[in-house]
Amino acid sequence: MIRGSFSLFDMDSIIRRSGAERVGEDASIKLSEYLEDSGKEILFKAKQLSYHAGRKHITREDIVLAAAYVKA
């Protein structure tokens, strides 16, 4: 069962643009799951950053900073 909200077609396209000639459906599903999990982690950190700054909305800078923090 696919739990991600990214389309398999989009995941297939991303993988093919990276140089793959053939892409298995399981690869597209796994990429979708990974991107969703990573996105949730980044958004959780961005939410913490915005609240720490005294704001109720998340800005672009919060996302960029959170992505750098999660990546490190």
Side-chain angles (χ1 to χ4, degrees):
M1 181 167 147
I2 301 171
R3 69 179 180 92
S5 33
F6 297 105
S7 76
L8 293 182
F9 177 79
D10 290 338
M11 298 301 101
D12 184 84
S13 297
I14 290 170
I15 295 170
R16 286 181 190 274
R17 282 191 303 240
S18 297
E21 291 181 25
R22 297 179 66 193
V23 179
E25 184 177 348
D26 58 333
S28 296
I29 292 169
K30 189 50 112 176
L31 180 60
S32 175
E33 291 172 357
Y34 179 75
L35 290 176
E36 185 172 350
D37 291 343
S38 297
K40 285 179 182 177
E41 191 175 347
I42 290 169
L43 290 173
F44 177 76
K45 187 62 181 172
K47 181 179 169 185
Q48 288 179 327
L49 291 169
S50 69
Y51 285 155
H52 180 72
R55 292 180 275 108
K56 292 185 178 183
H57 64 279
I58 296 174
T59 64
R60 176 186 180 278
E61 289 78 18
D62 294 330
I63 298 290
V64 171
L65 188 58
Y69 176 81
V70 169
K71 187 178 180 183

